Amino acid sequence: DAKTTQPPSMDCAEGRAANLPCNHSTISGNEYVYWYRQIHSQGPQYIIHGLKNNETNEMASLIITEDRKSSTLILPHATLRDTAVYYCIVRAPMDSSYKLIFGSGTRLLVRP
Amino acid sequence: SAVISQKPSRDICQRGTSLTIQCQVDSQVTMMFWYRQQPGQSLTLIATANQGSEATYESGFVIDKFPISRPNLTFSTLTVSNMSPEDSSIYLCSVPSPVYGYTFGSGTRLTVV
């Protein structure tokens, strides 16, 4: 079973920040939080990942709570192209025997 | 990170026939994963394919229906056998990535009529 829970859908206005929450209350100490997104049923695309510190890259920011039981993906200036299903997944890094299990994800709609 | 070439990108097949999906990776990887995504649903792991050994199938998936080959460290195939309309889905392969967690192929959209 997926180890994360996400709201099924969200929307935001173009140009505004999109904040996507994820709960992972049973996360283990060596598990990272990964975010992927899937656009138009293409293969999922990596966005960002982190262990306990906040992370930022050219696509997004990841805020992880101090107890690591939840996180938020932030798209700072959402565009129409960011409309997609966003998946939050926890896994141990470089443990290739660890299966990547997808939850239901959050369907983000960016409105013009 | 590895680049995956997945073929075909889409196909329409008659019920009762079989389709083989190919995934070619541009680097050697120990494990490859096959997923199914039914319409409007999330991704479900079908099996893990190791080179030189039998694939490991998840609950609800069997080898007779979804035979997998893994002849070398850069290639794998998934066959969807004796297809029915319920097999209409997107099928994706994936490999572990040291940077991105996992890298995915672009998917095969299968329609069974």
Side-chain angles (χ1 to χ4, degrees):
Chain A
D1 291 337
K3 299 174 68 172
T4 62
T5 56
Q6 300 175 251
S9 64
M10 297 182 65
D11 68 81
C12 75
E14 188 178 20
R16 304 297 294 270
N19 299 295
L20 290 83
C22 179
N23 286 320
H24 32 80
S25 59
T26 62
I27 191 170
S28 301
N30 66 338
E31 288 181 321
Y32 282 60
V33 180
Y34 285 81
W35 283 82
Y36 296 84
R37 72 180 182 185
Q38 189 177 28
I39 299 174
H40 285 310
S41 298
Q42 299 172 12
Q45 173 191 24
Y46 167 86
I47 301 173
I48 198 168
H49 74 283
L51 181 63
K52 56 182 179 180
N53 298 318
N54 298 338
E55 301 288 345
T56 297
N57 62 21
E58 66 278 5
M59 291 182 67
S61 294
L62 174 60
I63 308 298
I64 302 174
T65 58
E66 190 169 345
D67 63 7
R68 302 209 323 122
K69 292 185 177 182
S70 65
S71 61
T72 301
L73 177 74
I74 301 172
L75 307 178
H77 305 286
T79 71
L80 299 179
R81 288 190 297 271
D82 292 322
T83 292
V85 179
Y86 288 77
Y87 296 99
C88 166
I89 302 171
V90 297
R91 69 176 290 270
M94 289 310 296
D95 180 0
S96 60
S97 64
Y98 189 94
K99 297 173 289 189
L100 196 62
I101 304 300
F102 283 80
S104 301
T106 295
R107 187 173 298 274
L108 175 67
L109 173 64
V110 180
R111 296 177 278 104
Chain B
S1 188
V3 176
I4 302 175
S5 173
Q6 185 172 343
K7 295 188 223 182
S9 59
R10 59 177 62 227
D11 208 340
I12 301 173
C13 301
Q14 297 291 322
R15 68 178 67 199
T17 63
S18 298
L19 175 72
T20 296
I21 302 167
Q22 301 179 2
C23 270
Q24 178 74 53
V25 189
D26 69 348
S27 59
Q28 294 185 337
V29 291
T30 305
M31 308 182 86
M32 293 180 72
F33 302 88
W34 287 96
Y35 289 85
R36 180 178 73 180
Q37 187 172 31
Q38 295 175 299
Q41 303 297 312
S42 182
L43 284 75
T44 301
L45 182 65
I46 298 172
T48 303
N50 292 324
Q51 194 270 331
S53 63
E54 295 259 335
T56 303
Y57 288 83
E58 298 298 305
S59 176
F61 298 96
V62 295
I63 188 172
D64 289 347
K65 176 67 175 177
F66 298 101
I68 289 172
S69 77
R70 185 79 202 277
N72 56 55
L73 291 173
T74 64
F75 187 78
S76 179
T77 67
L78 170 76
T79 299
V80 186
S81 303
N82 189 24
M83 289 184 285
S84 67
E86 291 71 34
D87 294 319
S88 297
S89 296
I90 297 171
Y91 293 86
L92 299 114
C93 61
S94 174
V95 299
S97 164
V99 175
Y100 304 126
Y102 285 80
T103 301
F104 291 83
S106 54
T108 297
R109 183 182 292 274
L110 170 62
T111 303
V112 183
V113 297

